[in-house]
């Protein structure tokens, strides 16, 4: 307790701290409307066959239950380093699910759409196809965006009260998250937390 009395900065995660663990699908924004039926089957397959589903994948699985029963030919589990996961299904294609800011050219229209949705505090994932099997050393290869998967995050009911208490005690709260920096900043800002989001990839190396 004596040591805690000297704390003036607390670092917290977003998911499970500011927001609840669960999510729900808010929108599936497809690039080509004629692909919608195929893409819902792809999402159902990815959710069903993911070896280590996170909260986002679980939400996708709840929204899409039309698993086509394809047999996977390659698997790439999600990792915080690459920020995408994927499954290859032979003749049914190679599919990626991950961070738009990693998989997309930042100058494209769909990238801007993802950024806009993220700035509203929504969790945004890109569904894309690839020309390479997902376990290829050169993966993800040539990425073709197919849809944005937009998820809603529910803010914890006690989050604002907790942050206000820390502020009253002159304790600064820093949110460190693996999610998109703009989306994290939007959630933190909605709770009254001052500051500007910083993407750690833009920090100097020394």
């Amino acid at each position: 307790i004596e040591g805690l009395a000297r704390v003036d900065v607390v670092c917290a995660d977003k998911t499970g701290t500011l927001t609840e663990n669960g999510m729900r699908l808010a929108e599936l924004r497809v690039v080509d409307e004629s692909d919608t039926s195929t893409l819902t089957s792809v999402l159902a397959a990815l959710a069903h066959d993911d070896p280590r589903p996170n909260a986002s994948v679980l939400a996708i699985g709840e929204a899409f239950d039309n698993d086509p029963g394809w047999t996977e030919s390659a698997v790439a589990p999600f990792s915080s380093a690459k920020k995408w996961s994927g499954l290859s299904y032979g003749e049914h294609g190679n599919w990626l699910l991950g961070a738009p800011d990693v998989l997309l050219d930042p100058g494209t229209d769909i990238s801007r759409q993802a950024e806009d949705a993220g700035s509203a505090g929504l969790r945004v994932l890109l569904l894309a196809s690839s020309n390479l099997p997902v376990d290829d050393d050169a993966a993800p290869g040539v990425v073709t965006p197919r849809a944005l998967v937009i998820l809603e995050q529910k803010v914890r009911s006690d989050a604002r009260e907790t942050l206000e208490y820390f502020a009253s005690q002159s304790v600064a709260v820093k949110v460190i998250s693996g999610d998109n920096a703009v989306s994290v900043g939007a959630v933190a800002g909605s709770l009254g937390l001052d500051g500007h989001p910083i993407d750690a990839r833009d920090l100097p190396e020394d």
Side-chain angles (χ1 to χ4, degrees), residues 130-204:
S130 171
N131 66 323
L132 294 175
V134 297
D135 61 349
D136 192 288
D137 289 342
V142 178
V143 175
T144 302
R146 307 294 292 273
L148 293 177
V149 182
I150 302 175
L151 304 165
E152 287 183 334
Q153 309 170 93
K154 186 175 180 181
V155 174
R156 289 177 61 101
S157 60
D158 58 350
R160 178 179 287 273
E161 180 184 354
T162 301
L163 293 176
E164 288 175 349
Y165 171 77
F166 279 126
S168 72
Q169 300 299 309
S170 299
V171 176
V173 177
K174 308 294 184 183
V175 182
I176 301 175
S177 174
D179 291 350
N180 176 271
V182 174
S183 178
V184 174
V187 171
S190 72
L191 294 169
L193 195 62
D194 293 330
H196 302 284
I198 297 173
D199 192 324
R201 292 171 298 179
D202 297 331
L203 294 174

Side-chain angles (χ1 to χ4, degrees), residues 91-117:
E91 64 181 9
H92 299 292
N94 309 301
W95 297 94
L96 310 170
L97 190 64
D101 55 324
V102 171
L103 294 171
L104 286 175
D105 180 338
T108 59
D109 178 63
I110 192 168
S111 179
R112 286 190 288 270
Q113 291 183 46
E115 189 80 1
D116 289 344

Side-chain angles (χ1 to χ4, degrees), residues 6-145:
R6 294 175 172 82
V7 170
D8 56 10
V9 176
V10 169
C11 296
D13 191 12
K14 175 184 68 67
T15 306
T17 305
L18 301 184
T19 61
E20 296 182 359
N21 285 318
M23 299 184 189
R24 76 174 186 88
L25 181 75
E27 181 186 355
L28 177 64
R29 192 178 300 176
V30 298
V31 174
D32 185 341
E33 292 287 346
S34 65
D35 286 342
T36 301
S37 178
T38 298
L39 297 181
T40 60
S41 294
V42 170
L43 287 167
L46 293 176
H48 181 270
D49 297 329
D50 192 311
R52 297 198 299 268
N54 56 24
S56 299
V57 173
L58 291 173
I60 291 169
E62 289 179 1
F64 303 109
D65 57 3
N66 55 323
D67 177 29
W70 298 333
T71 300
E72 64 265 27
S73 53
V75 180
F78 177 84
S79 75
S80 56
K82 66 178 188 296
K83 291 187 178 294
W84 59 267
S85 62
L87 284 150
S88 293
Y89 290 104
E91 64 181 9
H92 299 292
N94 309 301
W95 297 94
L96 310 170
L97 190 64
D101 55 324
V102 171
L103 294 171
L104 286 175
D105 180 338
T108 59
D109 178 63
I110 192 168
S111 179
R112 286 190 288 270
Q113 291 183 46
E115 189 80 1
D116 289 344
S119 66
L122 297 166
R123 179 78 178 272
V124 185
L125 297 175
L126 175 73
L127 174 64
S129 55
S130 171
N131 66 323
L132 294 175
V134 297
D135 61 349
D136 192 288
D137 289 342
V142 178
V143 175
T144 302

